[in-house]
Amino acid sequence: MDQLEPLSTNNSLVFSLITSLIITSILIIFFTSIFPYLTSCFHKLFSTSLFCSCEICQAYLTSSWSKDFNNLCDWYSHLLQKSPTKTIHIHVLRNTITANCENLEYILKTNFENYPKGKPFSSILGDFLGRGIFNVDGELWKFQKKMASLELNKNSIRSFAFEVVNNEIHHRLIPLLKNQNEVALDLQDVFKRFSFDSICRFSFGLDPMCLEKSLPMSDFALSFDLASKLSAERAMVVSPLIWKIKRFFNMGSEKELKKSINIINMLAKVVINQKRKMGFSNHQDLLSRFMSTTIHDDMFLRDIVISFLLAGRDTVASSLTSFFWLLAKNREVESEILSEAERVIGVGNNFGVTNFEQLSKLHYLQAAAYESMRLYPPIQFDSKFCLVDDVLPDGTRVKSGTRVTYHPYAMGRLEELWGEDCLEFKPQRWLKDGVFQPTNQFKYPIFQAGLRVCIGKEMALMELKSVAISLLRKFRFELEETSSTTTTLGCDNPRFSPGLTATFAFGLPVFVRERGTDCEA
């Protein structure tokens, strides 16, 4: 035993030395890397008027607004309606929110260069969207917009999109909805699956088959949903310090977000590699078209396509959900849509449209779609960041670094813009002598406006109208009486979940009734 004591002592010394080195290394890393980072974050946190005592900021911080409103967007609408300039301030967020048309034109067009997406926004969505078109500014944005515009304006890509959408409608969506008479079906979930299948086929040439009758959900779809949700939640916190610390230590929601993005990245890498091996010159999907250009950076390709996937999937699903909810509550509008379809398409076994020309003649349907999005825009608000101190047209002073948000949801509820009947669902407000008439894009910024106007607008409308006319001529949708989509506070609005796009918190439970071949309402 005596011979073992020196050895034991030496081991103890070595262990103590290693432990000391580890602790010293941790302290060095902390004070050289982590401590300055935390100090910077705390400095930013306490320089943003976190403890503002004004009524609006206190209502936001304590969530006391929820006593009267089920949705934050409805509270903002209420505040903007009362504001003489249609502009308000949330000081604790350094956020100026406006529903003023002149302000919108100034921000999105006149002084566009002073109101980019900005680094704060890019950092929030950076892990998810990377360098995609919806998350960048400057030359990188201009390059992607020019490239995407050239592709999306081609007749070949529009025809391909029309083919994909109608194939999904007639081979999956309609068969799924048949024989559902006795079961309440979540129509929002169905539309999410439909739009995810469609946009994946259009963007990647990939079919996740989420709308098969067994309603499977792929790992990619689940990861995409979770990444979108958790990225949106970053923007809801009072300070980015909170999510940045969680990301640094890979904990909680940030750990989940990282896992989801890893799955998305792995699939994107596999798809890109497969296309490169098989060749992509004869493929019609968006990714193949981009790969046939000068872009050879796989992560850049991934970022571009993921951005289009986000825009094309969630916005269409959101628009379809609110549209069918409104139609179920306004049967006279549904009847008028069906009457117009009989005049334009005719009566018979063809329940959908066969070409773009037929779609363009459905003026009342177009008006109903626009009216639905006026009341329930898929993107309820959008933000920019002020680069240099400025003054908006309504006299509002904006300091550098301030987040400036325009609010389409609130704008659709302003009497000054839409009249005393602004809360009513009236497609006829968009018609003149039976012909659809668009309005000023800064009054109706549903597809953004100015230089960043949505380049996929026409294809999104094509998808929405194709689904609507095909399903309405085939089925009648009745809201489940016990549905919790509406509030209990006398406000006939759905309750929304936090997210990048408007989503009904409780889904859209409906009973699906198949019509006779005469398509009567």
Side-chain angles (χ1 to χ4, degrees):
M1 291 294 291
D2 291 341
Q3 293 178 348
L4 294 176
E5 286 180 3
L7 182 60
S8 176
T9 302
N10 289 337
N11 286 341
S12 297
L13 288 172
V14 171
F15 179 77
S16 297
L17 182 60
I18 292 174
T19 303
S20 298
L21 286 172
I22 292 173
I23 293 174
T24 302
S25 299
I26 291 173
L27 289 174
I28 290 172
I29 293 171
F30 179 80
F31 283 104
T32 58
S33 301
I34 301 176
F35 183 73
Y37 172 76
L38 293 178
T39 302
S40 173
C41 288
F42 275 112
H43 175 74
K44 291 179 181 178
L45 176 64
F46 287 102
S47 66
T48 58
S49 304
L50 176 61
F51 303 106
C52 177
S53 60
C54 78
E55 183 180 350
I56 293 177
C57 288
Q58 286 303 303
Y60 180 85
L61 289 171
T62 62
S63 296
S64 61
W65 57 266
S66 61
K67 296 176 183 178
D68 300 308
F69 303 92
N70 273 359
N71 297 302
L72 188 62
C73 60
D74 288 313
W75 178 52
Y76 282 160
S77 296
H78 170 72
L79 295 175
L80 289 164
Q81 287 164 0
K82 292 196 306 178
S83 168
T85 61
K86 304 299 177 256
T87 302
I88 60 173
H89 307 278
I90 312 293
H91 303 107
V92 295
L93 299 178
R94 290 195 72 189
N95 193 3
T96 294
I97 305 175
T98 187
N100 185 304
C101 293
E102 293 182 355
N103 286 350
L104 255 73
E105 185 168 5
Y106 182 78
I107 294 165
L108 301 178
K109 180 182 177 183
T110 308
N111 201 12
F112 174 79
E113 297 297 335
N114 196 43
Y115 294 92
K117 281 285 185 181
K119 290 183 179 179
F121 183 89
S122 296
S123 67
I124 288 172
L125 294 179
D127 294 321
F128 182 33
L129 297 183
R131 298 171 293 162
I133 188 170
F134 303 115
N135 204 41
V136 292
D137 293 301
E139 293 303 316
L140 192 54
W141 167 74
K142 291 178 182 177
F143 167 73
Q144 290 186 59
K145 182 184 178 183
K146 180 179 180 180
M147 179 182 65
S149 296
L150 287 172
E151 291 298 337
L152 295 178
N153 286 328
K154 292 179 179 177
N155 289 331
S156 59
I157 193 86
R158 292 187 177 188
S159 297
F160 176 63
F162 186 80
E163 178 186 329
V164 166
V165 166
N166 280 279
N167 182 275
E168 192 75 14
I169 290 172
H170 294 289
H171 291 93
R172 285 188 179 151
L173 185 54
I174 289 178
L176 175 70
L177 294 178
K178 286 184 176 181
N179 304 316
Q180 295 284 346
N181 289 353
E182 305 304 321
V183 180
L185 189 70
D186 182 359
L187 201 56
Q188 177 173 255
D189 179 61
V190 170
F191 287 146
K192 282 188 173 183
R193 292 167 181 273
F194 165 81
S195 57
F196 193 71
D197 279 0
S198 298
I199 195 63
C200 280
R201 292 171 67 184
F202 172 74
S203 298
F204 283 119
L206 170 74
D207 186 1
M209 299 187 291
C210 294
L211 201 59
E212 289 292 319
K213 289 186 179 180
S214 59
L215 292 180
M217 188 58 82
S218 67
D219 288 342
F220 183 52
L222 291 171
S223 298
F224 194 89
D225 275 342
L226 187 58
S228 176
K229 174 179 175 292
L230 295 178
S231 296
E233 288 178 358
R234 284 179 171 182
M236 308 250 338
V237 297
V238 173
S239 170
L241 168 67
I242 297 171
W243 68 261
K244 286 184 178 181
I245 290 177
K246 289 167 69 177
R247 182 178 66 175
F248 188 89
F249 291 105
N250 193 31
M251 57 189 289
S253 59
E254 288 298 313
K255 184 177 182 179
E256 292 184 69
L257 177 60
K258 186 177 180 180
K259 287 182 180 178
S260 297
I261 291 173
N262 284 340
I263 292 174
I264 293 170
N265 290 346
M266 281 192 298
L267 180 70
K269 184 177 181 180
V270 169
V271 172
I272 290 171
N273 287 339
Q274 285 180 344
K275 285 190 177 297
R276 191 161 277 130
K277 289 178 182 178
M278 297 171 60
F280 41 77
S281 58
N282 294 325
H283 293 187
Q284 296 177 287
D285 59 273
L286 202 59
L287 176 60
S288 296
R289 290 167 181 265
F290 289 157
M291 289 181 72
S292 65
T293 65
T294 57
I295 301 176
H296 303 294
D297 183 336
D298 286 1
M299 279 305 294
F300 189 31
L301 285 168
R302 173 264 183 212
D303 294 344
I304 294 172
V305 177
I306 290 296
S307 292
F308 278 97
L309 200 155
L310 175 69
R313 184 268 182 121
D314 289 356
T315 54
V316 170
S318 175
S319 299
L320 282 168
T321 300
S322 54
F323 184 64
F324 275 79
W325 180 72
L326 282 167
L327 291 182
K329 298 168 71 65
N330 296 270
R331 292 296 181 187
E332 70 283 359
V333 174
E334 180 184 72
S335 297
E336 188 58 39
I337 290 173
L338 292 171
S339 296
E340 179 184 60
E342 285 192 11
R343 294 194 301 271
V344 174
I345 303 173
V347 180
N349 294 324
N350 176 27
F351 290 99
V353 291
T354 57
N355 52 58
F356 285 103
E357 186 179 359
Q358 281 186 335
L359 273 182
S360 66
K361 293 178 180 178
L362 297 171
H363 292 280
Y364 189 86
L365 175 62
Q366 175 101 342
Y370 266 65
E371 180 71 349
S372 173
M373 288 186 286
R374 177 184 71 84
L375 289 170
Y376 298 103
I379 307 292
Q380 295 177 338
F381 62 89
D382 192 23
S383 298
K384 314 296 179 187
F385 282 85
C386 179
L387 286 180
V388 181
D389 290 0
D390 201 3
V391 180
L392 300 180
D394 67 357
T396 299
R397 294 186 177 277
V398 184
K399 292 184 178 180
S400 173
T402 299
R403 178 180 174 185
V404 181
T405 299
Y406 66 93
H407 211 286
Y409 183 91
M411 294 179 73
R413 287 159 171 73
L414 291 180
E415 288 189 11
E416 291 85 345
L417 295 181
W418 302 99
E420 294 181 357
D421 60 354
C422 62
L423 297 182
E424 297 180 33
F425 180 52
K426 297 177 66 175
Q428 57 267 34
R429 75 173 79 242
W430 294 90
L431 298 171
K432 183 177 181 181
D433 297 326
V435 177
F436 173 79
Q437 299 292 323
T439 190
N440 186 316
Q441 60 178 329
F442 300 105
K443 174 183 175 181
Y444 184 79
I446 305 304
F447 299 97
Q448 289 215 43
L451 299 179
R452 274 194 181 260
V453 68
C454 176
I455 55 180
K457 170 185 173 181
E458 294 305 321
M459 279 193 282
L461 285 169
M462 174 277 293
E463 187 170 355
L464 191 157
K465 292 189 291 184
S466 295
V467 172
I469 203 64
S470 298
L471 297 193
L472 289 176
R473 300 191 82 198
K474 187 74 175 176
F475 306 102
R476 178 184 175 93
F477 299 89
E478 299 174 2
L479 297 177
E480 185 183 28
E481 291 183 5
T482 58
S483 170
S484 301
T485 54
T486 55
T487 70
T488 57
L489 301 176
C491 179
D492 194 25
N493 282 335
R495 184 193 290 268
F496 298 106
S497 296
L500 298 176
T501 52
T503 302
F504 285 22
F506 303 104
L508 183 59
V510 299
F511 291 103
V512 184
R513 316 293 189 196
E514 193 164 358
R515 299 183 192 273
T517 55
D518 58 357
C519 296
E520 291 181 357

